[in-house]
DNA sequence: TATTGTTATACTCTATAACTATA
DNA sequence: TATAGTTATAGAGTATAACAATA
């Protein structure tokens, strides 16, 4: 759709944008089916296999601590996460996944993969490996 | 990070998810710098070069008409879009971009590309072409 | 003094339901 | 009757500012 004289890379940007919206649509749909917000689904994904303080969660999610405080409130009411006292610092709390939270993530990941199969089925196994490698390179590069 | 015995493709799903969040973060940041929501930025992108009714916009955005009504209210107050009477149906309105709306999108697109350069700079020109081809294949495949 | 987390407040986004004007 | 758009209402998500408890 773009002309040959366009700046190099703009086609990549457009492709990345299109894929990003498709992935986000799938994630939003999966979250909605479990009556979760996208942010809640993201949070339980981040909490897999570890405990984090409110401040750490806020940094990981790119949100203010006060926003995360309310987010944890609502998710805790749903029984997906728990607040635990931090034995090393009485000001702080550790947030962890409950078994229901682990189950919700596992189910959600499988459903997301299913929805995105219409995208990923387009590629051969060899292409899948190549694409994964290229995407990982970009992600790691962003880290620094 | 994943074991060799995992289901094939789960690494691709994780990589796609990570890239999607990076792209959305860039878009959200660009929108925020212009004091726009992601939905508002998306809407003015959709309105480029055409006029749409509230119902059409709602379908394009995947939102309820009442949500779009408020969205257009706030964006119209900002001077980015305008409601025009539809001469063919007095019940309906045509929403169009103002010049400020066109400018906001143009600026936002350039800024987004700049922010995502930290991702795309990781690749050589040849890799960029390969990645673009693979992503396009997936996107077209999704279409049907 | 600085940091952690919470609360109060305000605004955006979103949906549902009820309404009006028009078709 | 059906459709287009709006409004009223309610809840989630977000940020800023102010606060209490702890370091």
């Amino acid at each position: 759709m773009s002309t040959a004289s366009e700046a190099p890379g703009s086609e990549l940007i457009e492709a990345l944008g299109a894929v990003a919206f498709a992935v986000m649509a799938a994630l939003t749909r999966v979250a909605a089916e479990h009556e979760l917000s996208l942010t809640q689904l993201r949070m339980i994904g981040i909490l897999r296999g570890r405990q984090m303080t409110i401040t750490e969660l806020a940094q990981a999610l790119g949100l203010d601590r006060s926003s995360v405080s309310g987010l944890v409130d609502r998710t805790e009411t749903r029984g997906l996460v728990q607040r635990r006292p931090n034995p090393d610092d009485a000001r702080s709390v550790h947030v962890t996944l409950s078994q229901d939270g682990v189950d919700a993530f596992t189910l959600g990941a499988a459903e997301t993969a299913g929805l995105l199969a219409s995208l990923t089925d387009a590629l051969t196994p060899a292409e899948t490996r190549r694409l994964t490698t290229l995407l990982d390179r970009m992600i790691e590069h962003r880290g620094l």
Side-chain angles (χ1 to χ4, degrees), chain A residues 94-117:
Chain A
H94 282 154
V95 184
T96 59
L97 281 189
S98 69
Q99 188 57 48
D100 278 0
V102 173
D103 293 346
F105 180 84
T106 305
L107 205 56
E111 290 170 359
T112 303
L115 284 179
L116 291 181

Side-chain angles (χ1 to χ4, degrees), chain A residues 53-135:
Chain A
T53 67
I54 298 287
T55 298
E56 287 166 347
L57 263 178
Q59 288 170 339
L61 290 164
L63 298 174
D64 190 85
R65 284 172 302 163
S66 64
S67 302
V68 173
S69 188
L71 195 63
V72 171
D73 281 348
R74 292 182 291 271
T75 318
E76 193 170 26
T77 301
R78 293 278 308 273
L80 302 177
V81 303
Q82 298 145 346
R83 280 180 173 90
R84 304 284 194 192
N86 178 350
D88 296 333
D89 187 339
R91 294 173 302 180
S92 152
V93 298
H94 282 154
V95 184
T96 59
L97 281 189
S98 69
Q99 188 57 48
D100 278 0
V102 173
D103 293 346
F105 180 84
T106 305
L107 205 56
E111 290 170 359
T112 303
L115 284 179
L116 291 181
S118 72
L119 287 179
T120 55
D121 281 358
L123 307 182
T124 67
E127 288 173 333
T128 297
R129 283 193 297 277
R130 245 195 295 161
L131 176 59
T132 304
T133 301
L134 290 170
L135 293 174

